[in-house]
């Protein structure tokens, strides 16, 4: 549920240039809210049942399975690295290529309609109660604005009231 993009790096730990603790737990990278090194959590996944092509491992996963992988990785602050194995001829089977195209189209369609547009946004806390860090910044379309909490805070919540959106938008 909670993944941070920061690790704890000790650049003087050993002769190889240091160590990085990314908070791995149970095979998952969790990171740390107070880490000192920006790192990107990644989710390595397979489009088939195996990492390599095989007669019994060449059927692509269903669109539902791929969507679950997407939202449980990208949706939890990780990059999704999807392994697509070539066959013995060095090519990718057409069924796999078709599923990749279908998956890409499904992701695009999932985000075609901005459900947050026009929503009322509130937060448990705003840094210094400064409008510069307003919760509404998360839906203003400007990559240079953002919401944040006070220094030292490690948990908080942001709420988007979509009911405002539904009553104000007749295009749904």
């Amino acid at each position: 549920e909670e993944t941070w993009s920061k690790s704890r790096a000790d650049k003087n730990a050993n002769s190889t240039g240091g160590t990085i603790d990314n908070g791995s737990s149970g095979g998952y990278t969790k990171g740390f809210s107070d880490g000192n090194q920006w790192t990107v959590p990644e989710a390595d996944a397979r489009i088939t049942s195996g990492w390599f092509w095989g007669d019994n491992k060449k059927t692509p996963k269903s669109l539902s399975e791929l969507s679950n992988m997407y939202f449980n990785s990208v949706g939890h602050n990780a990059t999704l690295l999807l392994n697509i194995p070539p066959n013995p001829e060095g090519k990718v089977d057409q069924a796999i290529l078709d599923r990749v195209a279908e998956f890409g189209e499904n992701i695009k369609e999932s985000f075609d309609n901005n459900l947050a547009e026009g929503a009322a946004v509130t937060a448990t806390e705003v840094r210094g109660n400064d409008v510069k860090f307003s919760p509404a910044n998360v839906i203003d379309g400007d990559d240079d604005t953002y919401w944040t909490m006070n220094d030292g805070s490690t948990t908080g919540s942001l709420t988007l009231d979509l009911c405002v959106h539904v009553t104000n938008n007749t295009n749904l």
Side-chain angles (χ1 to χ4, degrees):
E1 287 293 319
E2 189 173 274
T3 306
W4 297 91
S5 292
K6 294 195 291 184
S7 295
R8 293 178 180 153
D10 182 351
K11 296 177 182 177
N12 300 314
N14 63 30
S15 62
T16 63
T19 60
I20 295 180
D21 179 0
N22 60 13
S24 291
S25 173
Y28 299 96
T29 299
K30 305 266 185 183
F32 297 98
S33 63
D34 63 346
N36 63 348
Q37 179 71 46
W38 179 263
T39 56
V40 180
E42 70 181 41
D44 299 327
R46 305 174 311 261
I47 195 161
T48 62
S49 63
W51 289 106
F52 302 99
W53 186 94
D55 286 331
N56 297 323
K57 300 183 285 182
K58 62 183 182 179
T59 303
K61 292 182 179 178
S62 70
L63 185 57
S64 176
E65 290 173 302
L66 292 172
S67 293
N68 285 336
M69 285 190 325
Y70 180 84
F71 287 108
N72 286 318
S73 58
V74 174
H76 289 265
N77 195 37
T79 56
L80 175 63
L81 301 175
L82 187 60
N83 180 63
I84 301 171
N87 62 29
E89 289 78 42
K91 299 179 180 181
V92 177
D93 291 351
Q94 192 60 49
I96 294 173
L97 289 174
D98 291 345
R99 185 55 45 85
V100 169
E102 180 184 28
F103 181 42
E105 194 58 37
N106 181 259
I107 291 169
K108 288 179 191 173
E109 288 174 3
S110 294
F111 298 101
D112 270 352
N113 185 10
N114 182 355
L115 298 176
E117 186 176 20
V121 188
T122 56
T124 53
E125 171 180 348
V126 175
R127 178 175 286 169
N129 290 321
D130 189 336
V131 69
K132 180 169 118 179
F133 305 115
S134 168
N137 290 346
V138 299
I139 62 170
D140 69 0
D142 184 348
D143 289 341
D144 292 326
T145 63
Y146 57 93
W147 161 70
T148 191
M149 302 182 309
N150 290 315
D151 288 341
S153 294
T154 58
T155 60
S157 66
L158 188 69
T159 304
L160 282 73
D161 183 350
L162 302 180
C163 291
V164 173
H165 173 63
V166 171
T167 58
N168 290 339
N169 189 336
T170 58
N171 295 326
L172 289 178

